[in-house]
Amino acid sequence: MRYFSVEEANRLVPLLTRTFERVRPWVERAQQLADTLVSGEGIPGVQLDTLREERDVLLERIRGELHQLTEMGLEIKGADGLVDFRAHRGDDPVFLCWRFGEPAVTHWHELQDGFAGRRPIDSPDDFAPTWLS
């Protein structure tokens, strides 16, 4: 399992921004298709098949883009641009947290807290550097 320092996480923000700029429209379209397929009212079967195929292609494309990030040790919490980085705050494992649109990794949270438990990073030095730092 890979752990990140604040500096290492911040070095990845430009890559994350580019990736989610590309992926977010696909996520939005896939959600629209899923909503349409759930209701399905008045849509002929052949058209439903076409919509399912488009949704499946988009989902595979999204998975492919995000897989590259998970291979780097990042944890994707939302395909619309929510990412956690495992880190150590003192002896405690925590997550550094980034959301699409943020210019840097400026928050962290306990492993069990999730996004709602985000707290500002007061000092990057509170988080242990890694051998990659």
Side-chain angles (χ1 to χ4, degrees), residues 100-133:
F100 180 78
E102 295 176 340
V105 177
T106 57
H107 289 79
W108 69 279
H109 60 82
E110 302 285 345
L111 297 181
Q112 70 278 1
D113 288 348
F115 185 82
R118 281 177 24 132
R119 296 179 233 176
I121 295 172
D122 294 324
S123 171
D125 294 335
D126 291 343
F127 300 86
T130 68
W131 60 273
L132 294 175
S133 296

Side-chain angles (χ1 to χ4, degrees), residues 14 35 48 70 76 78 82 84 91 97 108 120:
D35 293 344
L48 284 174
T70 60
I76 309 303
L82 187 57
D84 282 344
D91 292 332
C97 185
W108 69 279

Side-chain angles (χ1 to χ4, degrees), residues 14-61:
L15 171 66
L16 293 173
T17 299
R18 286 190 308 272
T19 300
F20 285 104
E21 283 173 345
R22 196 168 42 253
V23 167
R24 286 170 58 93
W26 302 340
V27 171
E28 184 178 324
R29 177 63 180 152
Q31 185 59 57
Q32 290 170 348
L33 290 166
D35 293 344
T36 300
L37 289 166
V38 167
S39 72
E41 294 179 34
I43 301 175
V46 172
Q47 189 175 356
L48 284 174
D49 290 342
T50 301
L51 294 176
R52 275 189 206 94
E53 185 177 324
E54 181 183 353
R55 179 206 55 201
D56 293 347
V57 166
L58 283 170
L59 291 175
E60 191 57 36
R61 190 181 298 165

